[in-house]
Amino acid sequence: MLKKLIAVAALAVPFIASASQLPDYPFIHASGNGFVYVAPDVGEVDFEILSQQDDPEAARKVVEGRIAEVRALVAGLGLQEADVEIRDVRKDIRKGERAQAGVVMYDLKCGVHIKVRDLSKWKALVAPLIDMPNVDGFM
């Protein structure tokens, strides 16, 4: 058994030692990286519509009114209705320092996401949104 192992090792050594040589001709190794500044072609804006009232129905009407105004603004600019995403309306009761003694106040919030595929309409969309009451948390 030992003789077979020595014979196999003796035959394998020349094959291991005969790794390929570097080519005889001149060659170049190169590496690199690059970057490109590209102007965006799509914009997105996220914000919240919020209302703070002692009557939850009145607060809901305010939020729904703002949603209607946002949809009208988007439609007036010719943006696609499918690019407006109205997220769930959340109702919370004010607690802690923000709450007034003896008065129950409700906070209603609604998330809005708008994708703007035509950036020439960006300013015409965002400027009125910033001026709207009950709109906050722009991202």
Side-chain angles (χ1 to χ4, degrees), residues 8-139:
V8 169
L11 291 173
V13 169
F15 291 113
I16 293 172
S18 66
S20 67
Q21 298 293 323
L22 292 174
D24 293 335
Y25 56 89
F27 59 94
I28 299 174
H29 288 280
S31 65
N33 51 21
F35 57 91
V36 176
Y37 291 109
V38 178
D41 58 350
V42 175
E44 295 182 4
V45 62
D46 288 291
F47 57 92
E48 286 185 331
I49 299 172
L50 55 100
S51 178
Q52 301 166 345
Q53 307 271 341
D54 58 352
D55 179 17
E57 285 304 314
R60 185 164 188 82
K61 286 182 182 178
V62 169
V63 170
E64 288 174 353
R66 291 295 172 261
I67 290 171
E69 290 177 18
V70 168
R71 289 189 189 276
L73 176 63
V74 167
L77 292 172
L79 300 174
Q80 298 177 10
E81 178 76 20
D83 289 340
V84 178
E85 180 182 340
I86 308 292
R87 298 188 180 111
D88 61 330
V89 177
R90 300 171 309 280
K91 178 174 76 171
D92 296 320
I93 297 175
R94 276 190 161 194
K95 297 177 185 170
E97 296 175 10
R98 300 183 314 168
Q100 296 176 358
V103 178
V104 177
M105 293 292 287
Y106 294 93
D107 289 340
L108 267 75
K109 294 181 182 180
C110 172
V112 180
H113 176 83
I114 302 174
K115 184 179 280 190
V116 183
R117 297 179 191 276
D118 181 4
L119 290 181
S120 66
K121 298 178 182 180
W122 179 263
K123 185 176 181 181
L125 173 71
V126 175
L129 287 174
I130 291 173
D131 292 336
M132 275 188 193
N134 304 100
V135 176
D136 194 24
F138 283 90
M139 293 179 272

